[in-house]
Amino acid sequence: MSDRSDPSHPITLPEKPALEGLEAKWNARWQESGTYRFDRTRPRSDVYSIDTPPPTVSGSLHVGHVFSFTHTDVIARFHRMRGKAVFYPMGWDDNGLATERRVQNFYGVRCDPSLPYAPSFQPPEKPPKQAIPISRPNFIELCNRLTAEDERAFEHLWRHIGLSVDWSMTYATIDRRAQRASQAAFLRLQKRGIAYQLEAPTLWDIDLRTAVAQAELEDREQPGAYHRIQFARPGGGTVEIETTRPELIPACVALVAHPDDERYKALFGTNVITPLFGVEVPVKPHALADPEKGSGIAMICTFGDLTDVIWWRELSLPVRAVISPSGVLRPLTWGEAGWESRDSARAQQAYDRLANLSPSKARTAIVEQLRESGDLIGEPRPITHPVKFYEKGDRPLEIITSRQWFIKTMEFREALLARGRELQWHPEYMQHRYENWVNGLSGDWCISRQRFFGVPFPVWYPVRADGSVDYGRPLVSDESRLPIDPSTDVPDGYTADQRDTPNGFSGDTDIMDTWATSSLTPQIVGGWLDDPDLFGRVFPMDLRPQAHDIIRTWLFTTVLRAHLQHDSLPWAHAALSGWILDPERKKMSKSKGNVVTPMALLEEYGSDGVRYWSASARPGTDTAFDPAQMKVGRRLAIKMLNAARFALLQAEPRGPITEPLDRGMLTALARLVEESTEQLEAYDYARVLERTESFFWTFCDDYLELVKSRRYGDFGTEAAASANSAMLVALSTLIRLFAPYLPFVTEEVWSWWHQGSVHTAAWPTAAEVVAPIGGADESALAVREATQHALAEVRRLKSLLKKPTKAVIARAVLPPAFSGLQPAARDFQAATHIRELTFAEVAEAQLEFAEEPAA
């Protein structure tokens, strides 16, 4: 830590202090001196470690990133000044769908895994209208090339905004270290039976041709229609159901009603016949059936929605899947096993009119058939209802049966709820969002994706003599070989020429869900596998900062992985930031096309101005994009330059702090320091900025004006020395209080009369502030408050009477409420230009103005 003051260090003031150029100047010096370098020799008790959110590298950062990362940086800087060795790395989330889409659009290519690698391939200078198919290795090379360029641009922006990151500790979620950690963690869970593979109903994006996890869903209101359809009973009569998805009638495996619904109790245990397809299906009771919805009885199809999956699983029903991975109704033959019908010819004829159609087109086609057969009762009733989408998808999700990797989640529900209660939440109410998510889980976490740019599963499978793949006996890699890519690497005991041949092997073609890697960020950046010494110093970490909307993904999955791998929380605190809202109060996001990129704002208002706006937002609170607040922040930074220059311009003489206003000001400042420290320890950074700014403006507008005459020697050397000494204590303290928020202007001002960086200086303490006056002076504090109130009253009356600020007041009579200022009357009269001051029982202050203005 650098000294708070250094008498031997001369005061050096610029002629005209300005904000322009401070970012470049101080970033270079911080880099050169290693100001933010992590000291890994310090024990765990002296370390404050941060699990930094790795932003998705898929284009450009927007102002929302600046907003939330500023919050983290404020906390990092505070703890550094509190004497901690701050472990604050930066990560890049560069794998996954967002990167793939950017690469496809940027280069005009698409990945075709069937193609061989072309070592000399170079993308065209301009993307062609028709995307060029390239091999998976070529595609991954382009992904790596573009993300490297994006990462350099991101780093430039983060440096410009002043993030106090140790740039020697950067990581990426696709680099070898991340791949090794992800694959090793997977293998250990697979060995314990916690990671498993299963052919099961899976949420599926038909455009992207990949599985999707529950955490990646969003509901979107879509137009639809209820269709009332009759099912025949074998002995005569009908049962009417209502459905929004009549195209799934060929996939129907049962009807279901609530166990207590008197209308259908007699049907439980009997069968009904599906219209058009003549399949006998049972009628079952289940508590999830809603008697108030539609006709009160529903068809169970495999699979129309997540409730179908629950019913199918809990009622032990068969699978009749009709939706293919490409999103059309697949061709099938009626009369074969699993597709029995009372009239296979009729069923085949009806189904052939649906085969190879998308669900929406099949819906139109089957409604026409139901109308012709008389099984459609009335006409479809239009509705608007929520439909499940992949958060990055364009069409509704389907549920198809496919082979996927899962991590067990449901059986750990209670343990994960307990972990949530252990965690310190900022703000506290965010814990409820976590608990709601955990309680709402409907299945284990599907971690496999049918994409290309990501961490591959370190798994191969034996190929039987008949050429079929034996998925039941996976061949896993030894940890010593990690990271591996099963599409190019060979399992132990095999040779490369045995790939995809009888009695040979076949590599797993899937990659891990991006959250399956990002959920290990504490382990990746902490050196879990490669650097146990570092890991012991930083894990479990102190802080996870993130946005509230990814509690269900990033926060939850990281808690899960730490619980499974280490039987602990991954960090002690979670600090949640809100969203940035556009002028229409909508969340800013790249997908919505309403984002604002920050560089122009940084150039117009300065990094400190933009940081001021960011840090003014309460934890967890959604905040409107507001350049006006950035302008306020810039004004604050300029005022800091000017106030500091005023305080330092005539810093002599110095001596004991004896004057009541000086002592009262320092007593109030000590209270601010004490409260600010407590609030920052509790992650309430916005409150600290608000109160520090309020004190600073009062310091400038009231205190500096009140002591100006005395400071210039009008009342003697000792009185001037008291003001100068108090002013320097206050300036040093305020600069350090502002340092986490406005790093550039505070570093500039600090350098005028200190050696070393303000960002490695000691955080101020209340005891330090009042030490020069022998401790808090409550009587002087009362004098300060009375003087400030009287000053405000005189200013109010001058304004009301349209008198200039320097108008001389020949005589002023103040009410007794202001009499507490009397020990500071000399300063008060000088600042208000009052020649004669008395106190009397008057309703309000009475002012008699002299004819001549003040000098």
Side-chain angles (χ1 to χ4, degrees):
M1 291 289 170
S2 63
D3 292 336
R4 288 185 298 275
S5 60
D6 182 1
S8 66
H9 186 63
I11 296 175
T12 307
L13 298 176
E15 282 268 336
K16 293 182 179 179
L19 300 179
E20 287 68 29
L22 293 187
E23 289 90 351
K25 171 183 176 180
W26 288 112
N27 268 316
R29 297 200 191 176
W30 293 334
Q31 178 69 15
E32 181 182 351
S33 61
T35 303
Y36 307 125
R37 194 168 297 136
F38 174 61
D39 181 0
R40 62 172 297 159
T41 66
R42 303 274 290 278
R44 180 66 186 90
S45 57
D46 289 351
V47 170
Y48 185 85
S49 52
I50 302 172
D51 181 17
T52 325
T56 301
V57 184
S58 58
S60 60
L61 291 167
H62 59 76
V63 74
H65 293 104
V66 171
F67 173 77
S68 57
F69 274 78
T70 296
H71 302 165
T72 308
D73 191 57
V74 168
I75 299 300
R77 289 179 177 277
F78 166 69
H79 282 283
R80 190 179 290 110
M81 294 177 74
R82 291 275 282 168
K84 294 286 189 179
V86 175
F87 181 73
Y88 186 19
M90 178 57 67
W92 310 121
D93 191 7
D94 41 16
N95 69 52
L97 179 61
T99 300
E100 289 187 22
R101 280 181 160 177
R102 175 158 160 74
V103 168
Q104 289 167 355
N105 295 332
F106 189 86
Y107 292 115
V109 297
R110 63 178 177 84
C111 182
D112 183 345
S114 68
L115 294 177
Y117 174 63
S120 60
F121 173 78
Q122 289 295 327
E125 289 187 11
K126 292 183 179 179
K129 291 183 179 178
Q130 199 72 18
I132 301 170
I134 60 175
S135 72
R136 180 175 179 178
N138 287 120
F139 186 76
I140 290 172
E141 285 180 354
L142 293 182
C143 290
N144 285 323
R145 181 195 300 185
L146 193 56
T147 54
E149 293 175 12
D150 287 343
E151 286 162 13
R152 284 192 291 272
F154 280 30
E155 181 175 335
H156 172 73
L157 177 64
W158 284 148
R159 287 181 182 272
H160 195 85
I161 199 69
L163 296 192
S164 58
V165 163
D166 183 345
W167 288 103
S168 69
M169 309 194 82
T170 306
Y171 71 96
T173 57
I174 198 64
D175 65 22
R176 289 184 62 82
R177 178 174 39 158
Q179 290 199 37
R180 182 163 183 253
S182 299
Q183 291 182 342
F186 165 78
L187 289 176
R188 295 182 188 189
L189 292 181
Q190 192 261 352
K191 187 176 181 180
R192 293 163 57 192
I194 294 174
Y196 65 94
Q197 196 174 48
L198 186 66
E199 184 91 15
T202 309
L203 290 158
W204 188 265
D205 188 293
I206 59 178
D207 291 318
L208 301 170
R209 306 283 181 92
T210 185
V212 174
Q214 184 182 348
E216 299 169 306
L217 306 185
E218 65 180 31
D219 284 336
R220 300 179 194 170
E221 289 294 322
Q222 298 288 301
Y226 269 128
H227 306 77
R228 184 170 281 259
I229 298 164
Q230 66 180 13
F231 282 60
R233 299 180 63 189
T238 60
V239 178
E240 295 179 4
I241 62 103
E242 284 196 355
T243 179
T244 60
R245 301 206 61 181
E247 74 277 11
L248 293 182
I249 290 174
C252 179
V253 290
L255 299 191
V256 64
H258 194 277
D260 299 330
D261 194 329
E262 295 293 340
R263 294 172 294 177
Y264 302 111
K265 275 187 176 182
L267 290 179
F268 297 148
T270 69
N271 290 343
V272 294
I273 304 167
T274 62
L276 300 179
F277 303 100
V279 178
E280 286 199 34
V281 297
V283 181
K284 300 272 191 178
H286 196 283
L288 284 181
D290 184 357
E292 304 299 321
K293 187 175 181 180
S295 63
I297 189 166
M299 68 173 182
I300 303 174
C301 300
T302 52
F303 297 91
D305 57 25
L306 292 172
T307 308
D308 277 343
V309 177
I310 296 171
W311 283 332
W312 164 80
R313 182 180 295 121
E314 295 185 2
L315 297 175
S316 301
L317 297 169
V319 174
R320 293 195 186 101
V322 296
I323 304 291
S324 71
S326 62
V328 300
L329 272 68
R330 64 188 182 91
L332 56 85
T333 303
W334 289 85
E336 292 184 351
W339 298 97
E340 296 85 358
S341 168
R342 285 187 158 201
D343 187 343
S344 296
R346 183 184 182 222
Q348 190 70 55
Q349 184 179 26
Y351 189 81
D352 286 346
R353 292 169 64 180
L354 310 178
N356 297 312
L357 295 181
S358 67
S360 60
K361 290 181 178 178
R363 188 174 311 135
T364 301
I366 200 170
V367 167
E368 185 57 36
Q369 292 189 67
L370 291 167
R371 191 178 281 117
E372 292 170 2
S373 69
D375 294 313
L376 178 69
I377 310 301
E379 286 301 308
R381 177 165 53 91
I383 60 165
T384 300
H385 62 146
V387 177
K388 300 288 183 197
F389 280 74
Y390 174 40
E391 59 189 359
K392 295 181 174 67
D394 299 322
R395 285 200 283 176
L397 290 171
E398 297 293 345
I399 299 176
I400 70 167
T401 301
S402 59
R403 182 182 53 82
Q404 305 288 344
W405 283 103
F406 296 85
I407 289 178
K408 289 182 179 178
T409 307
M410 300 297 288
E411 68 182 70
F412 301 110
R413 191 199 302 267
E414 292 305 316
L416 294 171
L417 289 169
R419 291 294 185 201
R421 291 188 287 271
E422 283 180 58
L423 188 59
Q424 298 297 307
W425 296 83
H426 309 283
E428 288 183 7
Y429 65 81
M430 290 293 178
Q431 181 183 342
H432 299 302
R433 297 196 185 188
Y434 171 85
E435 290 184 347
N436 290 341
W437 171 253
V438 176
N439 284 321
L441 288 170
S442 60
D444 288 340
W445 177 19
C446 176
I447 62 166
S448 48
R449 295 292 179 270
Q450 290 64 55
R451 301 300 305 169
F452 313 113
F453 188 53
V455 179
F457 288 92
V459 176
W460 304 264
Y461 306 97
V463 177
R464 301 183 183 95
D466 63 2
S468 62
V469 179
D470 185 358
Y471 292 110
R473 294 191 300 119
L475 307 168
V476 299
S477 173
D478 187 83
E479 272 195 34
S480 62
R481 294 185 59 190
L482 303 179
I484 65 104
D485 183 348
S487 69
T488 54
D489 294 314
V490 176
D492 293 335
Y494 292 84
T495 58
D497 58 4
Q498 290 180 279
R499 183 181 296 275
D500 298 323
T501 62
N503 298 315
F505 70 92
S506 183
D508 196 312
T509 58
D510 290 349
I511 61 169
M512 295 185 194
D513 171 20
T514 187
W515 294 113
T517 298
S518 295
S519 61
L520 294 169
T521 49
Q523 291 86 344
I524 293 167
V525 75
W528 169 47
L529 297 177
D530 306 311
D531 195 341
D533 175 75
L534 176 64
F535 195 63
R537 295 176 194 274
V538 303
F539 187 89
M541 293 187 163
D542 292 279
L543 176 64
R544 155 59 67 82
Q546 65 164 73
H548 60 64
D549 58 320
I550 51 174
I551 288 174
R552 71 191 196 281
T553 49
W554 194 34
L555 188 145
F556 166 75
T557 57
T558 312
V559 170
L560 172 66
R561 301 302 288 277
H563 174 75
L564 296 177
Q565 193 63 56
H566 308 285
D567 193 24
S568 74
L569 277 173
W571 358 261
H573 298 265
L576 287 305
S577 60
W579 289 338
I580 293 301
L581 307 176
D582 68 12
E584 296 181 5
R585 306 296 295 177
K586 294 178 181 177
K587 176 194 175 186
M588 274 194 187
S589 69
K590 284 187 245 184
S591 62
K592 289 183 171 63
N594 62 348
V595 300
V596 175
T597 53
M599 191 52 76
L601 298 169
L602 296 171
E603 291 170 352
E604 182 175 0
Y605 302 108
S607 295
D608 286 338
V610 176
R611 288 175 64 106
Y612 168 86
W613 161 73
S614 301
S616 299
R618 295 267 182 257
T621 304
D622 295 344
T623 302
F625 172 66
D626 188 3
Q629 275 289 90
M630 300 174 194
K631 189 175 183 179
V632 171
R634 179 175 173 80
R635 177 171 166 257
L636 172 63
I638 292 171
K639 185 68 174 179
M640 200 174 299
L641 290 175
N642 294 330
R645 192 173 189 278
F646 171 80
L648 295 170
L649 191 60
Q650 186 176 311
E652 300 294 342
R654 291 185 233 176
I657 302 173
T658 55
E659 293 290 322
L661 279 187
D662 304 336
R663 297 171 67 84
M665 181 270 293
L666 292 181
T667 300
L669 181 56
R671 285 188 179 179
L672 174 66
V673 168
E674 186 172 17
E675 292 170 4
S676 296
T677 304
E678 291 174 358
Q679 287 162 344
L680 275 171
E681 291 281 9
Y683 297 84
D684 192 0
Y685 48 81
R687 177 68 173 152
V688 173
L689 177 59
E690 177 188 330
R691 298 193 68 250
T692 303
E693 181 189 9
S694 176
F695 188 99
F696 175 74
W697 284 111
T698 300
F699 173 80
C700 294
D701 296 344
D702 294 355
Y703 175 76
L704 293 184
E705 289 301 316
L706 285 165
V707 304
K708 187 182 290 184
S709 293
R710 172 160 55 88
R711 192 269 181 108
Y712 285 149
D714 290 0
F715 307 129
T717 301
E718 289 185 7
S722 176
N724 285 333
S725 296
M727 219 177 282
L728 289 179
V729 172
L731 183 61
S732 169
T733 303
L734 286 167
I735 292 301
R736 283 177 284 154
L737 288 176
F738 276 121
Y741 301 90
L742 312 176
F744 294 103
V745 70
T746 53
E747 188 76 299
E748 174 69 12
V749 170
W750 189 260
S751 73
W752 294 348
W753 92 106
H754 287 88
Q755 290 182 325
S757 172
V758 68
H759 303 300
T760 53
W763 182 256
T765 65
E768 166 203 331
V769 174
V770 295
I773 60 174
D777 188 336
E778 297 300 325
S779 61
L781 183 63
V783 172
R784 171 184 181 265
E785 292 173 353
T787 306
Q788 285 182 291
H789 290 151
L791 179 64
E793 178 64 7
V794 171
R795 286 171 172 170
R796 184 185 71 82
L797 291 173
K798 280 186 175 182
S799 175
L800 191 66
L801 297 170
K802 295 183 168 44
K803 295 288 185 179
T805 303
K806 292 187 176 182
V808 175
I809 300 171
R811 182 170 180 270
V813 180
L814 301 185
F818 298 122
S819 62
L821 70 81
Q822 290 184 76
R826 186 172 59 181
D827 289 338
F828 175 71
Q829 288 181 245
T832 54
H833 308 289
I834 294 175
R835 291 177 176 173
E836 180 184 341
L837 174 65
T838 59
F839 299 89
E841 293 290 343
V842 291
E844 65 173 15
Q846 298 176 357
L847 307 180
E848 295 178 13
F849 289 89
E851 293 185 3
E852 74 276 18

